[in-house]
Amino acid sequence: MTPRFKGNAARLGLIAVPVAFFAVFFAYPVAAIVARGLKVDGTWQLGRIADVLTQSDIRHVLWFTTWQALASTALTLLVALPGAYVFARFAFPGKQILRAVVTVPFVLPTVVVGTAFLALVGRGGLLDELWGVRLDTTVWAILLAHVFFNYAVVIRTVGGLWAQLDPRQEEAARMLGASALKAWRKVTLPALGPAVAAAALMVFLFTFTSFGVVQILGGPTFSTLEVEIYRQTSEIFDLSTAAVLTLIQFVAVGAVLAVHAWTVRRRETALKLVDASATARRPRGAGQWALLTGVLVTIAVLLLLPLAVLVQRSLDAPDFAYYRALTGDDSGIFLVPPIEAIGNSLQYAATATAIAVAIGALAAAALTRRDAGRFVRGFDALLMLPLGVSAVTVGFGFLIALDEPPLDLRSSWILVPLAQALVGVPFVVRTMLPVLRAVDVRLREAAAVLGASPWRVWREVDLPMVRRALLVAAGFAFAVSLGEFGATVFIARPDNPTLPVAVARLLGRPGALNYGQAMALSTILMVVCAVALLVLERLRTDRTGEF
């Protein structure tokens, strides 16, 4: 057997399981739900696409989805870029802890984010009590919640590159007579351009497909594509309209991901050309201290205040009444006490993490091979699709497609962790790839020459070097699995709700007790995610990827 044949066989072996997993549990359910909506008596009704696009309310949804995503992206960059500079260039006490705190909103479930802002800007919220101001009926609540959620994307993506730029290049331009603004515009901005574009595209992707935030804060006034797909599927039962909207979202997300992949390639090329030495130093002068203070105030008001209000609202009743009420059994909402959602979520997230790490590790190993072909490189882009394709469609597709032998899983508990794992795999791959690519390929080749099998090469060479990155990847997968809502809301059984589903159900019922219990459950979920992230931050190394 020739070495070339062995290499091809090893590559195909690594990629086979991830491809099969995504084909069965992603492509098949999405295709099934689209076909169910657009096929009548075996005939494709493609004219339905034009019919849906001519509806004024659908055009309004498309317009709102696009412009709010653009506005959220611009506002996030405006607010977060000064923070990226501060974290990249300044050294100050508590920086590492603050870096972890800033990242907490990113791993929080969108349901918790929406709930936190509801407690801040909604009826009876902090602003309403202090000044009689409510924002939950305006688009500003949605935009601010999106900034809250995506702040860390800019901090880590742009700040990570900014810290690696040699400041002496800008200083040289200043010495040659350029103003501070001109030096930044001519020297620093071109180097940061790919990272800023990558961050902007990621934020746009997350806000374009926003569901939980808009579902809670938008009410009947505002609806994104994702929310409208959910409404058409679960409330109106119009599968054909939902299928058309799914296709539209799929095409839009595919275009965004194509641009994102191109930007990432540019970013990786740029990183090879810059000095990666440490550049952080204590702030100097009144201007830099003012900038640091402004960023800290922004973090306190925009990121910490909503979470603090959420906790405060959960403690409004005396003697922890809202928390104690979670142990009761209200058959009007749940078949079991809401507190059981905690155990359900932890079990589901642990199972989803194990699946995501196994699938993601195999995919990352295949993507790092030098002999990877075009198919493997194309699969790299496809791994991001679950983050952009409607989770609502995936969840309902599970119910439609996985209901016949040999995949009759409709009544099985495994559906929930499978759906959650789809979201976790991209994070596992993105976390492990930088470390795997840093492993000297000659070590693998030497082990293979000595007769080691591909599995033994992985176990003896790669695993010791990537063990910490693997733990970090597991932490991310656990956090995002814990908060998955779009698909889980369809497939979680009434007697086994997850925390996000339980929060949404409580918010959907009137009454102070239901609202208080939603705040209490959201606080519990926030604490669990924060603990997972803090453990992750302790494990993270400079060689471990940002996301």
Side-chain angles (χ1 to χ4, degrees):
M1 186 179 294
T2 64
R4 182 182 180 86
F5 183 83
K6 286 183 177 180
N8 290 335
R11 183 177 68 247
L12 291 176
L14 289 172
I15 203 69
V17 175
V19 168
F21 178 80
F22 274 83
V24 174
F25 297 113
F26 178 68
Y28 177 46
V30 171
I33 194 66
V34 171
R36 179 69 65 93
L38 294 181
K39 262 189 175 182
V40 178
D41 297 328
T43 303
W44 287 94
Q45 304 295 319
L46 298 181
R48 181 60 180 160
I49 298 177
D51 294 340
V52 170
L53 291 177
T54 57
Q55 298 177 21
S56 59
D57 56 336
I58 297 299
R59 291 202 303 270
H60 176 74
V61 169
L62 292 172
W63 168 243
F64 175 76
T65 301
T66 303
W67 86 256
Q68 68 82 22
L70 290 171
S72 296
T73 303
L75 189 60
T76 301
L77 290 175
L78 181 66
V79 173
L81 280 176
Y85 175 79
V86 165
F87 277 93
R89 294 301 197 202
F90 292 170
F92 53 91
K95 178 178 175 180
Q96 292 304 318
I97 295 176
L98 189 62
R99 178 187 173 93
V101 170
V102 163
T103 313
V104 167
F106 180 74
V107 299
L108 282 180
T110 55
V111 171
V112 174
V113 174
T115 306
F117 272 82
L118 193 66
L120 179 64
V121 304
R123 176 181 298 176
L126 182 63
L127 295 185
D128 192 15
E129 289 182 353
L130 294 178
W131 299 294
V133 176
R134 287 181 56 192
L135 297 178
D136 59 323
T137 56
T138 72
V139 73
W140 279 106
I142 296 174
L143 297 182
L144 290 174
H146 283 161
V147 175
F148 169 90
F149 185 77
N150 293 291
Y151 188 89
V153 174
V154 179
I155 294 296
R156 288 185 173 254
T157 305
V158 180
L161 175 60
W162 213 330
Q164 295 176 315
L165 296 180
D166 189 347
R168 292 174 297 182
Q169 298 177 6
E170 191 172 325
E171 292 170 0
R174 294 289 303 277
M175 293 179 63
L176 293 174
S179 64
L181 178 61
K182 187 175 182 180
W184 183 83
R185 183 168 54 87
K186 293 292 186 180
V187 178
T188 305
L189 184 58
L192 287 177
V196 173
L201 285 166
M202 289 178 67
V203 174
F204 181 85
L205 177 66
F206 290 137
T207 54
F208 187 83
T209 58
S210 182
F211 177 58
V213 168
V214 181
Q215 177 81 346
I216 292 175
L217 297 176
T221 307
F222 303 108
S223 179
T224 56
L225 266 175
E226 187 83 356
V227 174
E228 188 63 23
I229 291 171
Y230 174 78
R231 191 174 75 89
Q232 294 288 340
T233 302
S234 63
E235 298 178 9
I236 303 177
F237 304 109
D238 186 350
L239 291 186
S240 63
T241 299
V244 172
L245 296 179
T246 296
L247 288 175
I248 293 172
Q249 183 166 306
F250 186 84
V251 171
V253 167
V256 170
L257 289 178
V259 177
H260 179 259
W262 173 74
T263 306
V264 167
R265 285 196 297 270
R266 287 189 59 195
R267 177 189 175 196
E268 290 178 344
T269 300
L271 282 174
K272 296 176 182 178
L273 302 177
V274 301
D275 185 354
S277 60
T279 58
R281 63 188 182 187
R282 289 181 60 83
R284 299 175 181 174
Q288 291 189 354
W289 279 107
L291 176 60
L292 175 59
T293 302
V295 168
L296 294 179
V297 170
T298 299
I299 292 173
V301 174
L302 182 64
L303 303 186
L304 300 184
L305 182 60
L307 300 180
V309 172
L310 176 66
V311 176
Q312 185 268 326
R313 286 292 184 267
S314 73
L315 299 172
D316 264 353
D319 301 324
F320 301 98
Y322 294 145
Y323 288 90
R324 289 190 292 107
L326 296 176
T327 62
D329 186 2
D330 181 359
S331 58
I333 304 178
F334 303 102
L335 299 179
V336 295
I339 196 69
E340 292 192 12
I342 300 174
N344 296 335
S345 289
L346 293 176
Q347 292 173 15
Y348 287 144
T351 305
T353 299
I355 297 172
V357 168
I359 299 298
L362 288 173
L367 292 171
T368 55
R369 294 184 63 89
R370 285 187 172 183
D371 55 351
R374 290 184 178 179
F375 172 77
V376 176
R377 291 193 294 271
F379 187 65
D380 184 17
L382 294 178
L383 290 172
M384 291 288 289
L385 280 179
L387 297 182
V389 173
S390 171
V392 170
T393 299
V394 173
F396 196 57
F398 270 32
L399 297 180
I400 296 295
L402 305 179
D403 63 343
E404 296 179 357
L407 288 174
D408 187 3
L409 304 176
R410 191 166 184 170
S411 59
S412 174
W413 65 272
I414 196 65
L415 275 184
V416 174
L418 285 172
Q420 294 172 345
L422 283 172
V423 182
V425 168
F427 288 91
V428 174
V429 173
R430 293 293 161 234
T431 303
M432 294 189 64
L433 267 180
V435 182
L436 284 172
R437 285 172 174 165
V439 176
D440 191 340
V441 68
R442 291 173 296 182
L443 296 176
R444 299 190 184 108
E445 293 172 349
V449 169
L450 294 174
S453 65
W455 164 245
R456 187 173 181 183
V457 170
W458 161 258
R459 189 178 73 246
E460 300 291 343
V461 177
D462 293 68
L463 184 58
M465 297 184 179
V466 303
R467 184 180 290 111
R468 184 167 294 181
L470 197 62
L471 293 173
V472 172
F476 268 127
F478 182 82
V480 299
S481 298
L482 197 66
E484 204 288 320
F485 176 64
T488 307
V489 71
F490 273 97
I491 57 182
R493 294 164 52 179
D495 58 340
N496 285 289
T498 63
L499 277 169
V501 171
V503 170
R505 289 180 184 175
L506 287 166
L507 287 175
R509 293 284 296 269
L513 181 61
N514 290 325
Y515 179 82
Q517 289 183 87
M519 297 295 159
L521 272 181
S522 295
T523 301
I524 293 172
L525 186 51
M526 177 190 71
V527 170
V528 174
C529 288
V531 169
L533 182 68
L534 289 173
V535 172
L536 179 154
E537 188 69 17
R538 288 181 62 86
L539 293 171
R540 189 184 64 84
T541 65
D542 291 338
R543 293 179 64 189
T544 301
E546 296 295 344
F547 283 103

